[in-house]
Amino acid sequence: MLDLNTSLHRTRTLVRELAITDFKLKYQGLALGYLWSLAKPLMLFTVLYFVFTRLIRLGDSVQNYALYLLLGVVLWSYFFESTTVAMMSVVERRDLIRKVYFPRIVIPIATSITSLITLGLNLLVVFVFVAVTGIGFRITLPLLILLLVELYVLSLGFSLLLAALYVKFRDLRPIWEVGLQLLFYATPIIYPLTIVPKRFAGLMALSPIAQIIEDSRKLLVSPHALSTVDYVQWPLALIPYIIPPAVLVLGYWYFESTAAQFAEEL
Amino acid sequence: MAAEVAVAVNGLTKVFKIPLEQRTRLRDHVVHLFRSPGHRRLEALKDVSLEIRRGEFFGIIGRNGSGKSTLLKILAGIYQPTQGKVKISGRLSPFIELGVGFNPELTARDNIFLNGAILGLDRKQVATQFDEILGFAELEDFVDQKLKNFSSGMLVRLAFSVAIRAHAEILLIDEVLAVGDFEFQQKCFNVFRQLKAEGRTIIFVSHDLSAISEFSNRVMVIDHGVVRGVYPPDEAIGEYHRLVEARIEPSFASPAQSGAEVPSVRAVGMFSNGAGPTHLVHRGNAATVRVSMVNPRRVPVNVGVAIYRSDGLYCFGTNTFISETPPPPEEQVEFEVHFSDVDLLRGSYYLLVGIFGEKVATVYEMKERAYEFRVDQNDDYEGAVFLPHTWRIRS
């Protein structure tokens, strides 16, 4: 029991130190390092906003389109960033793995925490936006934490799976990025689910990312936003909530069953 | 008593499967879906069994590729055994090499905390020992410098200094002293003495035979993944030399055919008040260096023996020309250099043996690090050599 305790303590220390290191390395040398972490999603937001309000006028049909879009982009960017960075985390730490023993799972977990910090910073901007536009916060706002937990679980599950697979398959990166590209357009990020024809919307609503984004819009932007339950019958509506823990279990199982071989395969 | 055994290894075999073709991409697997890639089996360790007692300083020697590093990595938990069992009782320091995880873009301060965490120390434990770590490494003035600006010597000092803080009962040390300057090596040896006195179990892999013979209680000799035996240090080194020489022998069997017609060194040994070769000499004692050489064409040669300190300081050199004892023109010559007083001070040294044409202009062979040895002393004089002297008080 004591052994388990010390090893847990050691794992926690290591996760923290690695996360701190990642964070310092990511932003050091940039005087406005923290602002830089905001720049990427904000740039994407700005471009999309311009295109879909000035050129294509898709946003006209949606109330508070700017906030709609910003929230979608911020949550999506987190999923994109955290999974692609974590995918390469194990391979990038190969020096460490070949020379020291420690629970290998520490590496993708540390990376996921670094990404989580960035998400937190980005959400601060969203909150400022909510305050400035005068939409105001509703009493249901704390429920957002549950959605963020769901998003974290989903991202961590994919991160573990991808990090372990990437050790064996080094061409996974372009494959995953193309997959994400498709998913980006199949997810209601630049458009609300309401403008999608009903028969497609039902299918799209089964994706946990779509559900998370739509549900957070419901909490933060407009209570009239539709979510999965509005499109799918109730037992099926559970699907997007089941996928994240299922992916985490799968990812954890696969990572742990291959971790002992990492030192030899890297 | 079972508790006295720190490390027990039983029937350990490690096989590496080396794929004959590289398949690191998903594409390769899809293209060759129905053809499994061939493997070459590399047996790095074969049925290794050993027991290391608590508080023992256990040396491991073997040639490159003998499996000693693989064994250490399995003990550390980095590799999984293919067969057999490893039982470790006590906390093991999880490092094989020094400075693992050091990041050149971070300051010394950040790296100390990071490296500490890798070695199993939490922030508080590192913080309380922070000044000691810097002090031992002699890097107080560089705390907030990025590591990329450090010299390799500074890196080793910092790494060693953090590593010895890991409060492990069992330490695995692999070739840590290959780098670093002379002064710091002495400091490291002092730490080893202290750790040994504290009753820690230390498993030490090294090519530095003199260090092995000075510190180890027992030494394991390993060759081609097979344990040759576990011996007292001097016997182990003898066995190791037999291994190395057995390998060299064939190339000397027919010097004329192999084209090795030039004179060459066959064996180098050092003797000091004992029958067998030794790697430890006490200051002030006599020592003899024995060199045997082959000279198929019986050309006139000048043979030189030089002593270097491990940091490269050239201490002394002599040759048959300046001492006016030309070797006889025979096919096989064995000769000795007798030092009546080895007045070198404590440290690691090595011999360089060279065979030249009559006047050094032609080099037939230069054998760097032909033989390694340590000098020990009972007093505390400092420096490179002992100069006989007396103190007089003139009030």
Side-chain angles (χ1 to χ4, degrees):
Chain A
M1 214 49 214
L2 190 77
D3 240 30
L4 185 70
N5 253 332
T6 50
S7 86
L8 263 181
H9 178 66
R10 192 176 158 217
T11 307
R12 232 182 8 236
T13 306
L14 199 48
V15 166
R16 199 174 57 178
E17 288 301 324
L18 287 178
I20 291 174
T21 306
D22 279 348
F23 202 71
K24 275 187 179 156
L25 287 174
K26 200 166 159 192
Y27 299 125
Q28 72 161 306
L30 301 159
L32 300 171
Y34 151 58
L35 289 179
W36 191 241
S37 78
L38 301 176
K40 251 167 108 177
L42 285 181
M43 288 286 280
L44 181 60
F45 162 74
T46 311
V47 170
L48 292 174
Y49 184 73
F50 179 77
V51 170
F52 290 106
T53 55
R54 296 291 133 83
L55 301 180
I56 302 182
R57 302 204 159 264
L58 178 77
D60 290 2
S61 62
V62 186
Q63 216 189 348
N64 291 316
Y65 178 69
L67 191 54
Y68 236 88
L69 182 61
L70 181 65
L71 189 57
V73 166
V74 163
L75 295 177
W76 171 262
S77 297
Y78 165 72
F79 181 72
F80 181 93
E81 283 279 325
S82 66
T83 52
T84 40
V85 172
M87 170 163 45
M88 282 166 304
S89 62
V90 166
V91 171
E92 271 170 6
R93 294 262 184 204
R94 60 169 85 84
D95 263 9
L96 215 53
I97 289 175
R98 279 197 297 232
K99 288 168 188 168
V100 195
Y101 174 75
F102 57 89
R104 307 309 190 198
I105 205 160
V106 161
I107 293 175
I109 290 179
T111 316
S112 76
I113 287 172
T114 313
S115 303
L116 204 57
I117 296 171
T118 311
L119 173 64
L121 297 176
N122 286 336
L123 280 177
L124 284 181
V125 175
V126 175
F127 289 148
V128 169
F129 217 97
V130 172
V132 169
T133 50
I135 295 173
F137 298 100
R138 279 185 302 278
I139 192 103
T140 46
L141 181 70
L143 287 175
L144 184 65
I145 290 173
L146 291 178
L147 293 173
L148 295 180
V149 170
E150 190 191 350
L151 182 61
Y152 180 71
V153 166
L154 182 71
S155 308
L156 184 62
F158 274 114
S159 296
L160 295 178
L161 196 61
L162 291 166
L165 283 170
Y166 191 65
V167 173
K168 285 203 182 79
F169 310 116
R170 298 295 167 83
D171 56 349
L172 196 60
R173 188 182 178 181
I175 296 173
W176 179 246
E177 280 176 356
V178 168
L180 282 179
Q181 201 71 246
L182 293 176
L183 193 61
F184 177 79
Y185 290 105
T187 304
I189 296 166
I190 43 183
Y191 52 85
L193 208 48
T194 42
I195 68 159
V196 179
K198 264 265 174 183
R199 53 202 162 115
F200 296 125
L203 198 62
M204 285 165 62
L206 292 181
S207 149
I209 301 185
Q211 170 256 314
I212 290 166
I213 289 176
E214 286 292 309
D215 281 354
S216 5
R217 282 168 173 168
K218 207 179 172 96
L219 290 178
L220 266 179
V221 189
S222 148
H224 308 299
L226 298 176
S227 62
T228 308
V229 277
D230 301 309
Y231 291 91
V232 208
Q233 294 300 311
W234 107 262
L236 283 179
L238 283 177
I239 289 177
Y241 301 94
I242 292 169
I243 291 176
V247 171
L248 182 62
V249 169
L250 177 72
Y252 178 80
W253 167 80
Y254 184 72
F255 191 94
E256 286 296 297
S257 65
T258 53
Q261 303 300 321
F262 286 169
E264 287 171 44
E265 280 171 5
L266 284 171
Chain B
M1 217 165 88
E4 289 298 309
V5 176
V7 175
V9 175
N10 219 323
L12 175 67
T13 295
K14 178 68 190 173
V15 178
F16 288 105
K17 276 190 191 168
I18 301 167
L20 294 175
E21 56 177 310
Q22 278 289 331
R23 282 193 192 173
T24 54
R25 294 175 304 174
L26 194 59
R27 210 193 71 191
D28 304 329
H29 288 262
V30 173
V31 171
H32 305 291
L33 198 56
F34 299 106
R35 193 164 57 86
S36 84
H39 286 290
R40 193 163 60 84
R41 283 167 54 89
L42 181 81
E43 231 178 331
L45 293 173
K46 292 170 203 163
D47 195 22
V48 170
S49 295
L50 69 112
E51 242 176 39
I52 298 170
R53 291 187 287 271
R54 195 167 298 282
E56 196 170 23
F57 202 116
F58 192 85
I60 300 177
I61 53 179
R63 303 203 304 255
N64 285 334
S66 58
K68 50 192 193 314
S69 292
T70 304
L71 176 59
L72 226 52
K73 282 190 170 177
I74 290 177
L75 293 183
I78 299 170
Y79 289 164
Q80 302 298 312
T82 309
Q83 259 172 46
K85 271 192 190 146
V86 173
K87 193 167 178 291
I88 311 267
S89 332
R91 222 178 82 111
L92 185 108
S93 93
F95 74 100
I96 295 286
E97 270 173 54
L98 289 178
V100 166
F102 269 178
N103 195 307
E105 293 297 328
L106 295 177
T107 61
R109 184 189 303 280
D110 290 339
N111 269 297
I112 289 174
F113 283 102
L114 177 62
N115 198 233
I118 290 167
L119 298 177
L121 297 169
D122 65 24
R123 257 193 127 68
K124 219 164 65 193
Q125 286 169 316
V126 175
T128 53
Q129 303 185 80
F130 194 80
D131 293 336
E132 281 173 65
I133 292 173
L134 276 179
F136 186 86
E138 299 163 22
L139 292 171
E140 292 96 332
D141 300 337
F142 302 91
V143 210
D144 293 311
Q145 291 259 0
K146 282 185 183 176
L147 237 53
K148 63 179 171 192
N149 301 323
F150 278 33
S151 71
S152 60
M154 289 159 88
L155 287 176
V156 173
R157 263 151 47 202
L158 187 62
F160 188 84
S161 191
V162 182
I164 56 174
R165 309 288 147 177
H167 289 292
E169 288 134 19
I170 305 168
L171 283 94
L172 303 178
I173 303 171
D174 190 4
E175 293 294 357
V176 289
L177 300 165
V179 267
D181 64 21
F182 180 74
E183 300 298 327
F184 194 72
Q185 277 193 12
Q186 295 309 302
K187 257 170 111 170
C188 296
F189 283 131
N190 284 336
V191 171
F192 284 174
R193 286 188 195 99
Q194 196 190 324
L195 291 173
K196 197 176 165 181
E198 284 170 12
R200 312 265 196 111
T201 311
I202 300 171
I203 304 170
F204 183 50
V205 169
S206 184
H207 279 117
D208 185 350
L209 295 179
S210 50
I212 286 267
S213 84
E214 181 176 341
F215 294 110
S216 306
N217 302 105
R218 290 189 303 155
V219 180
M220 182 175 101
V221 182
I222 184 168
D223 192 45
H224 293 299
V226 179
V227 177
R228 304 284 298 209
V230 178
Y231 313 91
D234 280 341
E235 271 179 53
I237 287 165
E239 175 71 19
Y240 176 72
H241 278 298
R242 271 193 292 283
L243 272 178
V244 175
E245 278 160 25
R247 193 182 53 138
I248 291 171
E249 209 71 59
S251 71
F252 284 98
S254 49
Q257 284 168 346
S258 62
E261 301 215 327
V262 293
S264 61
V265 177
R266 190 171 174 152
V268 179
M270 191 174 209
F271 301 82
S272 181
N273 58 38
T278 181
H279 290 267
L280 183 64
V281 177
H282 280 273
R283 176 181 82 65
N285 283 6
T288 301
V289 173
R290 193 175 295 162
V291 177
S292 59
M293 128 193 146
V294 285
N295 187 358
R297 282 188 175 175
R298 305 178 187 205
V299 292
V301 290
N302 174 16
V303 180
V305 170
I307 300 176
Y308 283 83
R309 201 166 67 182
S310 57
D311 60 339
L313 176 74
Y314 183 17
C315 301
F316 183 70
T318 174
N319 62 49
T320 51
F321 180 76
I322 48 175
S323 41
E324 295 174 4
T325 40
E330 286 166 16
E331 248 183 70
Q332 294 209 7
V333 191
E334 185 167 293
F335 49 83
E336 290 183 348
V337 187
H338 183 75
F339 297 96
S340 51
D341 264 306
V342 177
D343 268 341
L344 299 166
L345 290 179
R346 180 183 293 132
S348 295
Y349 296 85
Y350 60 88
L351 297 177
L352 181 147
V353 178
I355 305 178
F356 311 97
E358 261 182 308
K359 270 174 202 161
V360 191
T362 329
V363 180
Y364 291 122
E365 187 175 16
M366 278 279 264
K367 233 179 143 104
E368 303 248 9
R369 290 185 183 270
Y371 197 87
E372 295 184 23
F373 66 99
R374 281 185 65 72
V375 174
D376 206 359
Q377 65 194 48
N378 299 325
D379 44 45
D380 291 316
Y381 290 109
E382 290 181 3
V385 295
F386 179 79
L387 299 178
H389 64 288
T390 47
W391 281 82
R392 262 185 234 133
I393 309 296
R394 298 178 57 145
S395 55

